[in-house]
Amino acid sequence: MPILSASLGITRYRVVEEIPDSLWREVPKRLQDNAFRDIDATTDERSWGWCNLDNMLDMDWAESPPEKGHYMCFSLRLDTRRIPPAVFKKHCMIALAQELTQAKAEGKAFISKDRRREIKDQVMLRLRARSLPIPAVFDAIWNTQTGRVLLLTTNSKVKTMFEDHFNLSFGLELEALTPFAMAVDMLGEEVVSRLENLEPTNFI
């Protein structure tokens, strides 16, 4: 698990709204309702959803529950099919050459723009069907006492995906705890204007 790695990147969040007590009992069910869906047998480019922090193959939390002490622990799994541009270009050239040969045999001198686009789409689907999706897992730790959430990544695209899926799953909005946000959270809204007017100091 990344949470047990020697070094890692962490993004800290706070839940904007007040969390109803009844939600904690619903978390396991909501995780399952928004769990990861496998795309190995499809041509889909991407799939994401929740999975067990202890085992990325466990989308039913059969191996272990998400409750660990006063924490809710789960992972965001993202599977992505990546077709190298050079491979896609090569197979497009082959398909277009075959199409042009067939077109000339039928007395046509060129391939229409719409047909070229259709051929490229068909090539991409064929390549995806032959390509296995690459899995990535990002652990999340939700403190039920403070409402704070830790996400084990600083990747901006993954953070956006996590925030959106968290909101979809639990109906709660997350705010990243930047140094500015943490200062406001600790000192109160009355310090906002002072913080906004702070200037960096050069100690050299």
Side-chain angles (χ1 to χ4, degrees):
M1 294 180 293
I3 189 65
L4 298 179
S5 301
S7 62
L8 42 83
I10 296 177
T11 301
R12 290 182 286 188
Y13 291 99
R14 75 177 183 92
V15 176
V16 175
E17 304 93 340
E18 185 173 344
I19 305 172
D21 291 337
S22 60
L23 178 65
W24 299 121
R25 296 190 297 272
E26 300 172 8
V27 167
K29 176 68 164 54
R30 295 194 183 205
L31 287 172
Q32 290 186 17
D33 290 344
N34 296 276
F36 173 82
R37 298 289 180 264
D38 203 293
I39 57 171
D40 282 4
T42 73
T43 58
D44 293 346
E45 181 181 8
R46 177 178 294 183
S47 178
W48 65 88
W50 309 124
C51 68
N52 192 329
L53 180 140
D54 298 313
N55 183 352
M56 73 172 185
L57 302 179
D58 181 11
M59 270 67 78
D60 297 315
W61 281 263
E63 182 171 315
S64 61
E67 301 94 341
K68 302 187 187 301
H70 62 271
Y71 295 94
M72 289 290 180
C73 302
F74 47 93
S75 298
L76 177 70
R77 178 175 166 184
L78 167 64
D79 278 24
T80 308
R81 279 190 170 88
R82 296 189 181 95
I83 308 300
V87 173
F88 178 62
K89 180 179 179 180
K90 168 192 169 183
H91 285 272
C92 280
M93 291 175 65
I94 293 172
L96 288 169
Q98 292 173 343
E99 183 74 12
L100 184 58
T101 299
Q102 183 178 343
K104 287 181 178 179
E106 296 173 357
K108 301 175 184 177
F110 65 94
I111 306 172
S112 68
K113 184 178 180 180
D114 289 342
R115 178 55 183 160
R116 285 176 177 272
R117 187 181 300 111
E118 183 181 348
I119 290 171
K120 289 183 178 180
D121 290 342
Q122 291 172 349
V123 168
M124 179 58 77
L125 288 175
R126 285 202 301 271
L127 291 176
R128 284 182 188 168
R130 295 164 57 184
S131 172
L132 292 175
I134 302 170
V137 178
F138 307 93
D139 292 345
I141 313 297
W142 190 0
N143 190 323
T144 62
Q145 294 182 348
T146 65
R148 300 296 170 90
V149 178
L150 299 181
L151 174 66
L152 281 317
T153 185
T154 56
N155 181 286
S156 57
K157 291 183 179 178
V158 175
K159 285 162 55 179
T160 299
M161 183 180 296
F162 175 79
E163 293 161 15
D164 291 344
H165 204 57
F166 189 93
N167 180 263
L168 174 68
S169 303
F170 307 112
L172 298 171
E173 185 179 348
L174 292 174
E175 178 185 44
L177 284 173
T178 61
F180 184 93
M182 290 183 69
V184 173
D185 189 55
M186 293 172 62
L187 302 175
E189 293 291 335
E190 61 273 12
V191 302
V192 170
S193 59
R194 290 166 52 196
L195 291 171
E196 290 176 339
N197 292 322
L198 286 177
E199 296 182 3
T201 299
N202 188 348
F203 293 99
I204 299 177

